[in-house]
Amino acid sequence: MPSAPLTPAQVEQLGDAAGRIAVYAARSLVESYPHLDLEQLVEVFTRPVAVEGTTRRYLAALHCGATPAVAAGRAGTALIHAWADARLAAAEAARTA
């Protein structure tokens, strides 16, 4: 990962990439599960903790030589998996409560 601080232009590009990843991940889920609410998913996927994880994974993939598209795909996939794991954990907690 870059050791030097990001320039303002790089920060803007990274923010744009994270936003696009969140929207594409949400759209992908809604295509497979139409009962899900797109706006709610985008809100969840753009929370600070989600954006931090997405950008970290995106930058790590870029650092390992992935193209921006592949890096975005990996970050989006990880975002969906994290969301699904959280939903499963919440459902399990509700069942055992």
Side-chain angles (χ1 to χ4, degrees):
M1 296 230 225
S3 57
L6 298 174
T7 67
Q10 290 171 318
V11 170
E12 186 174 334
Q13 288 175 339
L14 186 56
D16 182 59
R20 288 176 186 265
I21 291 166
V23 169
Y24 285 121
R27 284 183 182 165
S28 176
L29 279 171
V30 169
E31 284 177 14
S32 297
Y33 305 99
H35 66 281
L36 295 174
D37 183 280
L38 179 62
E39 288 181 25
Q40 184 181 23
L41 282 171
V42 171
E43 190 275 323
V44 168
F45 289 174
T46 56
R47 289 180 182 163
V49 68
V51 171
E52 181 182 334
T54 299
T55 55
R56 190 173 12 88
R57 287 180 177 93
Y58 178 71
L59 288 173
L62 289 176
H63 181 71
C64 290
T67 65
V70 169
R74 289 179 185 167
T77 299
L79 179 60
I80 290 170
H81 282 275
W83 172 82
D85 289 345
R87 294 276 306 238
L88 289 172
E92 182 62 30
R95 271 193 296 268
T96 59

Coordinates of all heavy atoms in Angstrom, one line a residue:
M1 N 0.8 -1.2 0.0 CA 0.0 0.0 0.0 C 0.9 1.2 0.0 O 2.0 1.2 0.4 CB -0.9 0.0 1.2 CG -1.9 -1.2 1.2 SD -3.5 -0.6 1.5 CE -4.0 -1.9 2.6
P2 N 0.4 2.3 -0.5 CA 1.2 3.5 -0.5 C 1.6 4.0 0.8 O 0.9 3.9 1.8 CB 0.3 4.6 -1.2 CG -1.0 4.0 -1.4 CD -1.0 2.6 -0.9
S3 N 2.9 4.3 0.9 CA 3.4 4.8 2.2 C 3.3 6.3 2.4 O 3.3 6.8 3.5 CB 4.9 4.4 2.4 OG 5.7 4.9 1.3
A4 N 3.2 7.0 1.2 CA 3.1 8.5 1.3 C 1.6 8.8 1.4 O 0.7 8.0 0.9 CB 3.6 9.1 0.0
P5 N 1.3 9.9 2.0 CA -0.1 10.3 2.1 C -0.7 10.5 0.7 O 0.0 10.9 -0.3 CB -0.1 11.7 2.8 CG 1.2 11.7 3.5 CD 2.1 10.9 2.7
L6 N -2.0 10.3 0.5 CA -2.7 10.5 -0.7 C -2.8 12.0 -1.0 O -3.1 12.7 -0.1 CB -4.0 9.8 -0.7 CG -4.0 8.3 -0.5 CD1 -5.5 7.8 -0.4 CD2 -3.3 7.6 -1.7
T7 N -2.8 12.3 -2.3 CA -3.0 13.7 -2.7 C -4.5 13.9 -2.7 O -5.3 12.9 -2.7 CB -2.5 13.9 -4.1 OG1 -3.3 13.1 -5.0 CG2 -1.0 13.6 -4.3
P8 N -5.0 15.2 -2.6 CA -6.4 15.4 -2.7 C -7.1 14.8 -3.9 O -8.2 14.2 -3.8 CB -6.5 16.9 -2.7 CG -5.3 17.4 -2.0 CD -4.2 16.4 -2.4
A9 N -6.4 14.8 -5.0 CA -7.0 14.1 -6.2 C -7.1 12.6 -6.0 O -8.1 12.0 -6.4 CB -6.1 14.4 -7.4
Q10 N -6.1 12.0 -5.4 CA -6.2 10.6 -5.1 C -7.3 10.2 -4.1 O -8.0 9.2 -4.3 CB -4.9 10.0 -4.6 CG -3.8 10.0 -5.7 CD -2.4 9.7 -5.1 OE1 -2.1 10.2 -4.0 NE2 -1.6 8.9 -5.8
V11 N -7.5 11.1 -3.1 CA -8.5 10.9 -2.2 C -9.9 10.9 -2.9 O -10.8 10.1 -2.6 CB -8.4 11.9 -1.0 CG1 -9.7 11.8 -0.1 CG2 -7.2 11.7 -0.2
E12 N -10.0 11.9 -3.8 CA -11.3 12.0 -4.5 C -11.5 10.8 -5.4 O -12.7 10.3 -5.4 CB -11.3 13.3 -5.4 CG -12.6 13.6 -6.1 CD -12.6 14.9 -6.8 OE1 -11.9 15.8 -6.4 OE2 -13.4 15.0 -7.7
Q13 N -10.5 10.3 -6.1 CA -10.6 9.1 -6.9 C -11.0 7.9 -6.1 O -11.8 7.1 -6.4 CB -9.3 8.9 -7.7 CG -9.1 9.9 -8.8 CD -7.7 9.6 -9.4 OE1 -6.8 9.0 -8.8 NE2 -7.6 10.1 -10.6
L14 N -10.4 7.8 -4.9 CA -10.6 6.7 -4.0 C -12.1 6.7 -3.5 O -12.8 5.7 -3.4 CB -9.6 6.6 -2.9 CG -9.7 5.4 -1.9 CD1 -9.5 4.1 -2.7 CD2 -8.6 5.6 -0.9
G15 N -12.5 7.9 -3.1 CA -13.9 8.1 -2.7 C -14.9 7.7 -3.8 O -15.9 7.1 -3.5
D16 N -14.6 8.1 -5.0 CA -15.4 7.8 -6.1 C -15.5 6.3 -6.3 O -16.6 5.7 -6.5 CB -14.9 8.5 -7.4 CG -15.8 8.2 -8.6 OD1 -17.0 8.6 -8.5 OD2 -15.3 7.7 -9.6
A17 N -14.3 5.6 -6.3 CA -14.3 4.2 -6.5 C -15.1 3.5 -5.4 O -15.8 2.6 -5.7 CB -12.8 3.7 -6.5
A18 N -14.9 3.9 -4.1 CA -15.6 3.3 -3.0 C -17.1 3.4 -3.2 O -17.9 2.5 -3.0 CB -15.2 3.8 -1.7
G19 N -17.6 4.6 -3.6 CA -19.0 4.8 -3.9 C -19.5 4.0 -5.0 O -20.6 3.4 -4.9
R20 N -18.8 3.9 -6.0 CA -19.2 3.0 -7.2 C -19.3 1.5 -6.7 O -20.2 0.8 -7.1 CB -18.3 3.2 -8.4 CG -18.4 4.5 -9.1 CD -17.4 4.6 -10.2 NE -17.4 5.9 -10.8 CZ -18.1 6.2 -11.9 NH1 -18.8 5.3 -12.5 NH2 -18.1 7.4 -12.4
I21 N -18.3 1.1 -6.0 CA -18.3 -0.3 -5.5 C -19.5 -0.5 -4.7 O -20.2 -1.6 -4.8 CB -17.0 -0.6 -4.7 CG1 -15.8 -0.6 -5.6 CG2 -17.1 -1.9 -4.0 CD1 -14.4 -0.5 -4.9
A22 N -19.9 0.4 -3.8 CA -21.0 0.2 -2.9 C -22.3 0.1 -3.7 O -23.2 -0.7 -3.5 CB -21.1 1.4 -1.9
V23 N -22.5 1.0 -4.7 CA -23.7 1.0 -5.6 C -23.8 -0.3 -6.4 O -24.8 -0.9 -6.5 CB -23.7 2.2 -6.5 CG1 -24.8 2.1 -7.5 CG2 -23.9 3.5 -5.6
Y24 N -22.6 -0.7 -7.0 CA -22.7 -1.9 -7.8 C -22.9 -3.1 -7.0 O -23.7 -4.1 -7.4 CB -21.4 -2.1 -8.6 CG -21.3 -1.2 -9.8 CD1 -20.3 -0.2 -9.9 CD2 -22.3 -1.2 -10.8 CE1 -20.2 0.6 -11.0 CE2 -22.2 -0.3 -11.9 CZ -21.2 0.6 -12.0 OH -21.1 1.4 -13.1
A25 N -22.4 -3.2 -5.8 CA -22.6 -4.3 -4.9 C -24.1 -4.4 -4.5 O -24.7 -5.4 -4.5 CB -21.7 -4.2 -3.6
A26 N -24.7 -3.2 -4.1 CA -26.1 -3.1 -3.8 C -27.0 -3.6 -4.9 O -27.9 -4.3 -4.8 CB -26.4 -1.7 -3.3
R27 N -26.7 -3.1 -6.1 CA -27.5 -3.4 -7.3 C -27.4 -4.9 -7.6 O -28.4 -5.5 -8.0 CB -27.0 -2.7 -8.5 CG -27.4 -1.2 -8.6 CD -26.9 -0.6 -9.8 NE -27.3 0.8 -9.9 CZ -26.8 1.7 -10.8 NH1 -25.9 1.3 -11.6 NH2 -27.2 2.9 -10.8
S28 N -26.2 -5.5 -7.4 CA -26.0 -6.9 -7.6 C -26.9 -7.7 -6.7 O -27.5 -8.7 -7.1 CB -24.5 -7.3 -7.4 OG -24.4 -8.7 -7.5
L29 N -26.9 -7.3 -5.4 CA -27.8 -8.0 -4.5 C -29.3 -7.9 -4.8 O -30.0 -8.9 -4.7 CB -27.5 -7.5 -3.0 CG -26.3 -8.1 -2.3 CD1 -26.1 -7.3 -1.0 CD2 -26.5 -9.6 -2.0
V30 N -29.7 -6.7 -5.2 CA -31.1 -6.5 -5.5 C -31.5 -7.3 -6.8 O -32.6 -7.8 -6.9 CB -31.4 -5.0 -5.7 CG1 -32.8 -4.7 -6.2 CG2 -31.3 -4.3 -4.3
E31 N -30.6 -7.4 -7.7 CA -30.9 -8.2 -8.9 C -31.1 -9.7 -8.5 O -32.0 -10.3 -9.1 CB -29.7 -8.2 -9.9 CG -29.6 -6.9 -10.7 CD -28.4 -6.9 -11.6 OE1 -27.8 -7.9 -11.8 OE2 -28.1 -5.8 -12.1
S32 N -30.4 -10.2 -7.6 CA -30.6 -11.6 -7.1 C -31.7 -11.7 -6.1 O -32.3 -12.8 -6.0 CB -29.3 -12.1 -6.5 OG -28.2 -12.1 -7.5
Y33 N -31.9 -10.7 -5.3 CA -32.9 -10.7 -4.2 C -33.8 -9.5 -4.3 O -33.5 -8.5 -3.6 CB -32.2 -10.8 -2.9 CG -31.3 -12.0 -2.8 CD1 -29.9 -11.9 -2.9 CD2 -31.8 -13.3 -2.5 CE1 -29.1 -13.0 -2.8 CE2 -31.0 -14.4 -2.4 CZ -29.6 -14.2 -2.6 OH -28.8 -15.3 -2.5
P34 N -34.7 -9.4 -5.2 CA -35.5 -8.2 -5.5 C -36.3 -7.7 -4.3 O -36.7 -6.5 -4.3 CB -36.5 -8.7 -6.6 CG -36.0 -9.9 -7.1 CD -35.1 -10.5 -6.1
H35 N -36.5 -8.5 -3.2 CA -37.2 -8.0 -2.1 C -36.3 -7.0 -1.2 O -36.8 -6.3 -0.4 CB -37.6 -9.2 -1.2 CG -36.5 -9.9 -0.6 ND1 -35.8 -10.9 -1.3 CD2 -36.0 -9.9 0.7 CE1 -34.8 -11.4 -0.5 NE2 -34.9 -10.8 0.7
L36 N -35.0 -7.0 -1.5 CA -34.1 -6.1 -0.8 C -34.4 -4.7 -1.2 O -34.7 -4.4 -2.4 CB -32.7 -6.5 -0.9 CG -32.3 -7.9 -0.4 CD1 -30.8 -8.2 -0.7 CD2 -32.5 -7.9 1.2
D37 N -34.1 -3.7 -0.4 CA -34.3 -2.3 -0.7 C -33.0 -1.7 -1.1 O -32.0 -1.7 -0.3 CB -34.8 -1.6 0.6 CG -35.1 -0.1 0.3 OD1 -34.1 0.7 0.3 OD2 -36.3 0.2 0.1
L38 N -32.9 -1.2 -2.4 CA -31.6 -0.7 -2.9 C -31.1 0.5 -2.1 O -29.9 0.5 -1.8 CB -31.8 -0.3 -4.4 CG -30.6 0.3 -5.1 CD1 -29.5 -0.7 -5.1 CD2 -31.0 0.7 -6.5
E39 N -32.0 1.4 -1.8 CA -31.5 2.6 -1.1 C -31.0 2.2 0.3 O -30.0 2.8 0.8 CB -32.7 3.6 -0.9 CG -33.0 4.3 -2.2 CD -34.1 5.3 -2.1 OE1 -34.3 5.8 -1.0 OE2 -34.8 5.6 -3.1
Q40 N -31.6 1.3 1.0 CA -31.2 0.9 2.3 C -29.8 0.2 2.2 O -28.9 0.4 3.0 CB -32.2 0.0 3.0 CG -31.8 -0.4 4.4 CD -32.8 -1.4 5.0 OE1 -33.6 -2.0 4.3 NE2 -32.8 -1.4 6.3
L41 N -29.6 -0.6 1.2 CA -28.3 -1.3 1.0 C -27.2 -0.3 0.7 O -26.1 -0.4 1.3 CB -28.4 -2.3 -0.2 CG -29.1 -3.6 0.2 CD1 -29.3 -4.4 -1.1 CD2 -28.3 -4.4 1.2
V42 N -27.5 0.7 -0.1 CA -26.5 1.7 -0.4 C -26.2 2.5 0.8 O -25.0 2.7 1.1 CB -27.0 2.7 -1.6 CG1 -26.0 3.9 -1.7 CG2 -27.1 1.9 -2.9
E43 N -27.2 2.8 1.7 CA -26.9 3.5 2.9 C -26.0 2.6 3.8 O -25.0 3.1 4.4 CB -28.2 3.8 3.6 CG -28.1 4.7 4.8 CD -27.7 4.0 6.1 OE1 -28.2 2.9 6.3 OE2 -26.9 4.5 6.9
V44 N -26.3 1.4 3.9 CA -25.5 0.5 4.8 C -24.0 0.4 4.2 O -23.0 0.4 4.9 CB -26.1 -0.9 4.9 CG1 -25.2 -2.0 5.5 CG2 -27.4 -0.8 5.7
F45 N -23.9 0.2 2.9 CA -22.6 0.0 2.2 C -21.8 1.3 2.2 O -20.6 1.2 1.9 CB -22.8 -0.5 0.8 CG -23.3 -1.9 0.7 CD1 -23.6 -2.5 -0.5 CD2 -23.4 -2.7 1.9 CE1 -24.0 -3.8 -0.6 CE2 -23.8 -4.1 1.8 CZ -24.1 -4.6 0.6
T46 N -22.4 2.4 2.5 CA -21.6 3.7 2.5 C -21.4 4.2 3.9 O -20.9 5.4 4.1 CB -22.3 4.8 1.6 OG1 -23.6 5.0 2.0 CG2 -22.3 4.4 0.1
R47 N -21.7 3.4 4.9 CA -21.4 3.8 6.3 C -19.9 3.9 6.4 O -19.2 3.1 5.7 CB -22.0 2.9 7.3 CG -23.5 3.0 7.4 CD -24.1 2.0 8.4 NE -25.5 2.2 8.4 CZ -26.3 1.3 8.9 NH1 -25.9 0.2 9.4 NH2 -27.6 1.5 8.8
P48 N -19.3 4.7 7.3 CA -17.9 4.8 7.4 C -17.1 3.5 7.6 O -16.1 3.3 6.9 CB -17.7 5.7 8.7 CG -18.9 6.6 8.7 CD -20.0 5.6 8.2
V49 N -17.6 2.6 8.4 CA -16.9 1.3 8.6 C -16.9 0.5 7.3 O -15.9 -0.1 7.0 CB -17.5 0.5 9.8 CG1 -18.9 0.0 9.5 CG2 -16.6 -0.6 10.2
A50 N -18.0 0.5 6.5 CA -18.0 -0.2 5.3 C -17.1 0.4 4.3 O -16.4 -0.3 3.5 CB -19.4 -0.2 4.7
V51 N -17.1 1.8 4.2 CA -16.2 2.5 3.2 C -14.8 2.2 3.6 O -13.9 2.0 2.7 CB -16.5 4.0 3.2 CG1 -15.5 4.7 2.4 CG2 -17.9 4.2 2.6
E52 N -14.4 2.2 4.9 CA -13.1 1.9 5.3 C -12.6 0.5 4.8 O -11.5 0.4 4.3 CB -12.9 2.1 6.8 CG -11.5 1.8 7.3 CD -11.4 1.9 8.8 OE1 -12.2 2.6 9.4 OE2 -10.5 1.2 9.3
G53 N -13.5 -0.4 5.1 CA -13.1 -1.8 4.7 C -13.0 -1.9 3.2 O -12.1 -2.6 2.6
T54 N -13.9 -1.3 2.4 CA -13.9 -1.4 1.0 C -12.7 -0.7 0.4 O -12.0 -1.3 -0.5 CB -15.2 -0.7 0.4 OG1 -16.4 -1.4 0.9 CG2 -15.2 -0.7 -1.1
T55 N -12.4 0.5 0.9 CA -11.2 1.1 0.4 C -9.9 0.4 0.7 O -9.0 0.3 -0.1 CB -11.1 2.6 0.8 OG1 -11.1 2.6 2.3 CG2 -12.2 3.4 0.3
R56 N -9.8 -0.2 1.9 CA -8.7 -1.0 2.3 C -8.5 -2.2 1.4 O -7.4 -2.4 0.9 CB -8.8 -1.4 3.8 CG -7.6 -2.0 4.4 CD -7.7 -2.3 5.9 NE -9.0 -2.2 6.5 CZ -9.9 -3.2 6.6 NH1 -9.6 -4.4 6.1 NH2 -11.0 -3.0 7.2
R57 N -9.5 -2.9 1.1 CA -9.5 -4.0 0.2 C -9.1 -3.6 -1.2 O -8.4 -4.3 -1.9 CB -10.8 -4.8 0.3 CG -10.9 -5.6 1.6 CD -12.2 -6.4 1.6 NE -12.3 -7.2 2.9 CZ -12.9 -6.7 4.0 NH1 -13.4 -5.5 4.0 NH2 -12.9 -7.5 5.0
Y58 N -9.7 -2.6 -1.6 CA -9.5 -2.0 -3.0 C -8.0 -1.7 -3.2 O -7.4 -2.1 -4.1 CB -10.4 -0.8 -3.3 CG -10.2 -0.2 -4.6 CD1 -10.6 -0.8 -5.8 CD2 -9.6 1.1 -4.7 CE1 -10.5 -0.2 -7.0 CE2 -9.5 1.7 -6.0 CZ -9.9 1.0 -7.1 OH -9.7 1.6 -8.3
L59 N -7.5 -0.9 -2.2 CA -6.1 -0.5 -2.3 C -5.1 -1.7 -2.2 O -4.1 -1.8 -2.9 CB -5.7 0.5 -1.2 CG -6.3 1.9 -1.4 CD1 -6.1 2.8 -0.2 CD2 -5.8 2.6 -2.6
A60 N -5.5 -2.7 -1.3 CA -4.6 -3.9 -1.2 C -4.6 -4.6 -2.5 O -3.5 -5.1 -2.9 CB -5.2 -4.8 -0.1
A61 N -5.7 -4.8 -3.2 CA -5.8 -5.5 -4.4 C -4.9 -4.7 -5.5 O -4.2 -5.3 -6.3 CB -7.2 -5.7 -4.9
L62 N -5.1 -3.4 -5.5 CA -4.3 -2.6 -6.5 C -2.8 -2.8 -6.2 O -2.0 -3.0 -7.1 CB -4.6 -1.1 -6.4 CG -6.0 -0.7 -6.9 CD1 -6.2 0.8 -6.6 CD2 -6.1 -1.0 -8.4
H63 N -2.4 -2.8 -4.9 CA -1.0 -3.0 -4.5 C -0.5 -4.3 -4.9 O 0.7 -4.4 -5.2 CB -0.9 -2.8 -3.0 CG 0.5 -2.9 -2.5 ND1 1.5 -2.0 -2.7 CD2 1.1 -3.9 -1.7 CE1 2.6 -2.3 -2.1 NE2 2.4 -3.5 -1.6
C64 N -1.3 -5.3 -5.0 CA -0.9 -6.7 -5.4 C -0.9 -6.8 -6.9 O -0.7 -7.9 -7.4 CB -1.8 -7.7 -4.8 SG -1.6 -7.9 -3.0
G65 N -1.2 -5.8 -7.6 CA -1.1 -5.8 -9.1 C -2.4 -6.0 -9.8 O -2.4 -6.1 -11.1
A66 N -3.5 -6.0 -9.1 CA -4.8 -6.1 -9.8 C -5.2 -4.9 -10.6 O -4.7 -3.8 -10.2 CB -5.9 -6.4 -8.8
T67 N -5.9 -5.0 -11.6 CA -6.4 -3.8 -12.3 C -7.4 -3.2 -11.5 O -8.0 -3.8 -10.6 CB -7.0 -4.2 -13.7 OG1 -8.2 -5.0 -13.4 CG2 -6.1 -5.0 -14.6
P68 N -7.8 -1.9 -11.7 CA -8.8 -1.3 -11.0 C -10.1 -2.0 -11.0 O -10.8 -2.1 -10.0 CB -8.9 0.1 -11.6 CG -7.5 0.4 -12.1 CD -7.1 -0.9 -12.6
A69 N -10.5 -2.6 -12.2 CA -11.7 -3.3 -12.3 C -11.7 -4.6 -11.4 O -12.7 -4.9 -10.7 CB -12.0 -3.7 -13.7
V70 N -10.6 -5.3 -11.4 CA -10.5 -6.5 -10.6 C -10.5 -6.2 -9.1 O -11.1 -6.8 -8.3 CB -9.3 -7.4 -11.0 CG1 -9.0 -8.5 -10.0 CG2 -9.5 -7.9 -12.4
A71 N -9.8 -5.1 -8.8 CA -9.7 -4.7 -7.4 C -11.1 -4.3 -6.9 O -11.5 -4.6 -5.8 CB -8.7 -3.5 -7.3
A72 N -11.8 -3.6 -7.7 CA -13.2 -3.2 -7.4 C -14.1 -4.4 -7.2 O -14.9 -4.5 -6.2 CB -13.8 -2.3 -8.4
G73 N -13.9 -5.4 -8.1 CA -14.7 -6.6 -7.9 C -14.4 -7.4 -6.7 O -15.3 -7.8 -6.0
R74 N -13.1 -7.4 -6.3 CA -12.7 -8.1 -5.1 C -13.3 -7.4 -3.9 O -13.8 -8.0 -2.9 CB -11.2 -8.2 -5.0 CG -10.6 -9.2 -5.9 CD -9.1 -9.3 -5.8 NE -8.6 -10.1 -6.9 CZ -7.3 -10.2 -7.2 NH1 -6.4 -9.4 -6.5 NH2 -6.9 -11.0 -8.1
A75 N -13.2 -6.0 -3.9 CA -13.7 -5.2 -2.8 C -15.2 -5.3 -2.6 O -15.7 -5.5 -1.5 CB -13.2 -3.8 -2.9
G76 N -15.9 -5.3 -3.8 CA -17.3 -5.5 -3.8 C -17.8 -6.8 -3.3 O -18.7 -6.9 -2.5
T77 N -17.1 -7.8 -3.7 CA -17.4 -9.2 -3.2 C -17.2 -9.3 -1.7 O -18.1 -9.9 -1.0 CB -16.5 -10.2 -4.0 OG1 -16.8 -10.1 -5.4 CG2 -16.8 -11.7 -3.5
A78 N -16.1 -8.8 -1.2 CA -15.9 -8.8 0.2 C -16.9 -8.0 1.0 O -17.4 -8.4 2.1 CB -14.5 -8.2 0.5
L79 N -17.4 -6.9 0.4 CA -18.5 -6.1 1.0 C -19.7 -6.9 1.1 O -20.4 -6.9 2.2 CB -18.7 -4.8 0.2 CG -19.8 -3.9 0.7 CD1 -19.5 -3.4 2.1 CD2 -19.9 -2.7 -0.3
I80 N -20.1 -7.6 0.1 CA -21.3 -8.4 0.1 C -21.2 -9.6 1.1 O -22.1 -9.8 1.9 CB -21.6 -9.0 -1.3 CG1 -22.1 -7.8 -2.2 CG2 -22.7 -10.1 -1.3 CD1 -22.2 -8.2 -3.7
H81 N -20.0 -10.2 1.1 CA -19.8 -11.3 2.1 C -19.9 -10.8 3.6 O -20.5 -11.4 4.4 CB -18.5 -12.0 1.9 CG -18.5 -12.9 0.7 ND1 -18.9 -14.2 0.8 CD2 -18.1 -12.7 -0.5 CE1 -18.8 -14.8 -0.3 NE2 -18.3 -13.9 -1.2
A82 N -19.3 -9.6 3.8 CA -19.4 -9.0 5.2 C -20.8 -8.7 5.5 O -21.2 -9.0 6.7 CB -18.5 -7.8 5.3
W83 N -21.6 -8.2 4.6 CA -23.0 -7.9 4.9 C -23.8 -9.1 5.1 O -24.5 -9.2 6.1 CB -23.6 -7.1 3.6 CG -25.1 -6.9 3.7 CD1 -25.7 -5.9 4.4 CD2 -26.1 -7.7 3.1 NE1 -27.1 -6.1 4.2 CE2 -27.3 -7.2 3.4 CE3 -26.0 -8.9 2.3 CZ2 -28.5 -7.7 3.0 CZ3 -27.2 -9.4 1.9 CH2 -28.4 -8.8 2.2
A84 N -23.6 -10.2 4.3 CA -24.3 -11.4 4.5 C -23.9 -12.1 5.9 O -24.8 -12.6 6.6 CB -24.0 -12.4 3.4
D85 N -22.6 -12.0 6.2 CA -22.2 -12.6 7.5 C -22.9 -11.9 8.7 O -23.3 -12.5 9.6 CB -20.7 -12.5 7.6 CG -19.9 -13.5 6.7 OD1 -20.6 -14.4 6.2 OD2 -18.7 -13.3 6.6
A86 N -22.9 -10.5 8.6 CA -23.6 -9.7 9.6 C -25.1 -10.1 9.7 O -25.6 -10.2 10.8 CB -23.4 -8.3 9.4
R87 N -25.7 -10.2 8.6 CA -27.2 -10.6 8.6 C -27.4 -11.9 9.2 O -28.3 -12.1 10.0 CB -27.7 -10.6 7.2 CG -27.8 -9.2 6.5 CD -29.0 -8.5 6.8 NE -30.2 -9.2 6.6 CZ -31.2 -8.8 5.8 NH1 -31.1 -7.7 5.1 NH2 -32.3 -9.6 5.6
L88 N -26.5 -12.9 8.9 CA -26.6 -14.2 9.5 C -26.4 -14.2 11.0 O -27.1 -14.9 11.7 CB -25.7 -15.2 8.8 CG -26.0 -15.6 7.4 CD1 -24.9 -16.4 6.8 CD2 -27.3 -16.4 7.4
A89 N -25.4 -13.5 11.4 CA -25.1 -13.3 12.8 C -26.3 -12.7 13.6 O -26.7 -13.1 14.7 CB -23.8 -12.6 13.1
A90 N -26.9 -11.7 13.0 CA -28.0 -11.0 13.6 C -29.2 -11.9 13.7 O -29.9 -12.0 14.7 CB -28.4 -9.7 12.8
A91 N -29.4 -12.7 12.6 CA -30.5 -13.6 12.7 C -30.3 -14.7 13.7 O -31.3 -15.1 14.4 CB -30.7 -14.3 11.3
E92 N -29.1 -15.2 13.8 CA -28.8 -16.2 14.8 C -29.0 -15.7 16.2 O -29.5 -16.3 17.1 CB -27.4 -16.8 14.6 CG -27.0 -17.8 15.6 CD -27.8 -19.1 15.5 OE1 -28.3 -19.4 14.4 OE2 -28.0 -19.8 16.5
A93 N -28.5 -14.5 16.4 CA -28.7 -13.8 17.8 C -30.1 -13.6 18.1 O -30.5 -13.8 19.3 CB -27.9 -12.5 17.8
A94 N -30.9 -13.3 17.1 CA -32.4 -13.1 17.4 C -33.0 -14.5 17.7 O -33.9 -14.5 18.6 CB -33.0 -12.5 16.2
R95 N -32.6 -15.5 17.1 CA -33.2 -16.8 17.3 C -32.8 -17.3 18.7 O -33.6 -18.0 19.4 CB -32.6 -17.9 16.3 CG -33.5 -18.0 15.1 CD -33.1 -19.2 14.3 NE -31.7 -19.1 13.8 CZ -31.3 -18.6 12.6 NH1 -32.3 -18.2 11.8 NH2 -30.1 -18.6 12.2
T96 N -31.6 -17.0 19.2 CA -31.2 -17.5 20.5 C -31.6 -16.6 21.7 O -31.3 -17.0 22.8 CB -29.7 -17.8 20.5 OG1 -29.0 -16.6 20.2 CG2 -29.3 -18.9 19.5
A97 N -32.1 -15.4 21.4 CA -32.4 -14.5 22.4 C -33.8 -14.8 23.1 O -34.6 -15.5 22.6 CB -32.5 -13.1 21.9

